[in-house]
Amino acid sequence: MRAAVPLLGVTEKERVHCFFGKTAPPEFTLTFPYGALAVDQVDASRTCMVMIDLTNQTISVSADISRIVDPWTLELIARESVVHAQNRSYFRVDATAKVAASSPVPESTADEGERWRLQGDTIDLSGSGVLCSFSEPLEKDKKVKIELALPTRDIDVIMALGHVARCRQIEKQLYHVALHFDLLDSESQDKIMACCFELQRRHLRMRVLLENQPAQ
């Protein structure tokens, strides 16, 4: 799973892969790869967001950080959870990349109110859409132009037309927005799928390293 961990003096939370550990509900632990998280910089006064991917849904959990157990483990208390149903026509992977959503109306013909653009970061990616974090909300079903810089060696920039599938406020000036691809050329979709396969391989390698991490 993945967690968005608040750090001292930093507005944007650090997104890190981790393992979930059961304790006495609503408490639980998150274990991170050794050295992946500077635990001495964790801001325990702010909430941590944990994303749990299941077969047909994703669960978002808002949790308080109760204590730092050791240099790679946090203990948390779950406060709120939300279940998001997912379309699994395409598999989805965690992906951190730059993304922009803007008006689909050409700038040369757009009225003043139709000119807008939001820049943010991706949370996960699939062949059918992308989950993003933005500082402002977008209305459900709103038509958008999507510019996505794939996290690949060549940093391919994908252009697509789509719509807002859902939008949820996480905290002040932080919104998770799911964008669905409505119009995407076949070459771009092939590039997205190739990127997803590569990221999946990276995540599997990281999981093996974490499982084989020696006890400290």
Side-chain angles (χ1 to χ4, degrees):
M1 64 183 60
R2 58 195 184 277
V5 183
L7 300 180
L8 295 169
V10 181
T11 301
E12 185 71 16
K13 294 180 179 180
E14 182 79 7
R15 292 203 292 270
V16 192
H17 291 83
C18 54
F19 277 156
F20 175 86
K22 290 183 178 180
T23 55
E27 297 180 352
F28 64 95
T29 62
L30 295 179
T31 301
F32 301 86
Y34 184 74
L37 181 67
V39 294
D40 58 328
Q41 295 299 311
V42 170
D43 186 355
S45 67
R46 296 159 59 196
T47 59
C48 178
M49 291 300 302
V50 182
M51 303 289 288
I52 306 167
D53 287 324
L54 303 176
T55 303
N56 293 308
Q57 62 187 18
T58 295
I59 301 175
S60 301
V61 179
S62 175
D64 294 333
I65 301 171
S66 57
R67 70 185 182 103
I68 298 172
V69 179
D70 52 45
W72 49 89
T73 308
L74 297 179
E75 186 175 81
L76 303 96
I77 302 174
R79 296 303 184 192
E80 181 185 9
S81 64
V82 177
V83 177
H84 308 285
Q86 298 295 334
N87 182 344
R88 292 296 175 174
S89 300
Y90 295 93
F91 74 93
R92 182 181 56 188
V93 295
D94 298 341
T96 301
K98 294 299 180 182
V99 64
S102 59
S103 170
V105 180
E107 190 170 341
S108 59
T109 60
D111 296 331
E112 184 175 347
E114 294 176 317
R115 297 190 186 98
W116 61 271
R117 178 182 171 86
L118 283 178
Q119 291 183 300
D121 297 293
T122 66
I123 298 172
D124 58 46
L125 174 68
S126 78
S128 61
V130 58
L131 180 63
C132 316
S133 63
F134 290 124
S135 60
E136 298 178 32
L138 287 173
E139 296 177 4
K140 188 176 184 297
D141 298 325
K142 188 180 184 69
K143 299 294 185 182
V144 297
K145 181 173 75 173
I146 304 166
E147 301 169 60
L148 171 64
L150 293 179
T152 56
R153 181 177 301 175
D154 298 328
I155 313 181
D156 292 312
V157 177
I158 301 299
M159 307 290 289
L161 293 178
H163 70 273
V164 177
R166 67 178 185 275
C167 177
R168 178 171 182 261
Q169 183 172 10
I170 302 302
E171 58 184 46
K172 185 178 180 180
Q173 295 185 324
L174 178 61
Y175 298 83
H176 284 180
V177 181
L179 302 177
H180 181 82
F181 300 136
D182 295 327
L183 186 59
L184 180 68
D185 64 80
S186 58
E187 181 181 357
S188 295
Q189 191 160 66
D190 288 344
K191 289 180 178 180
I192 290 174
M193 294 309 299
C195 177
C196 288
F197 282 119
E198 174 58 28
L199 291 174
Q200 187 181 56
R201 286 192 291 270
R202 291 182 198 173
H203 297 161
L204 289 173
R205 287 196 296 269
M206 189 198 70
R207 177 171 181 171
V208 171
L209 289 173
L210 182 56
E211 288 177 335
N212 294 330
Q213 180 175 294
Q216 301 293 322

